[in-house]
Amino acid sequence: MKIEKTMTIGQLLEQAPDKAEILMEAGMHCLGCPASQAESIEEACEVHGIDVDDLIEKLNK
């Protein structure tokens, strides 16, 4: 599965729950928040001040 920045956090965690650890390490500590489930990875990165391209690269390793 290729992870893209347009995927929602909910989609990512449903398809690849093991990636939660990478999100937490990047500073996204609110993965259980209902609002985060509908946010795209890109939107979540903007809110948390995280470089989306770096995170996508880590998620796709």
Side-chain angles (χ1 to χ4, degrees), residues 1 3 8-32 36-37 41 50 55 58-59:
M1 169 182 84
I3 298 167
T8 66
I9 299 293
Q11 289 171 323
L12 172 61
L13 295 177
E14 184 178 305
Q15 295 176 26
D18 58 308
K19 301 295 184 180
E21 185 177 338
I22 295 170
L23 297 176
M24 296 287 284
E25 288 173 0
M28 293 184 191
H29 300 283
C30 55
L31 299 179
S36 75
Q37 299 300 302
I41 296 171
I50 298 167
L55 182 60
K58 289 176 187 171
L59 289 168

Side-chain angles (χ1 to χ4, degrees), residues 1 5 7 13-16 21-22 24 26 30 42 44 47-48 52-54 56:
M1 169 182 84
K5 58 186 170 185
M7 291 179 72
L13 295 177
E14 184 178 305
Q15 295 176 26
E21 185 177 338
I22 295 170
M24 296 287 284
C30 55
E42 185 171 32
V47 169
H48 291 91
V52 68
D53 295 319
D54 286 345
I56 293 297

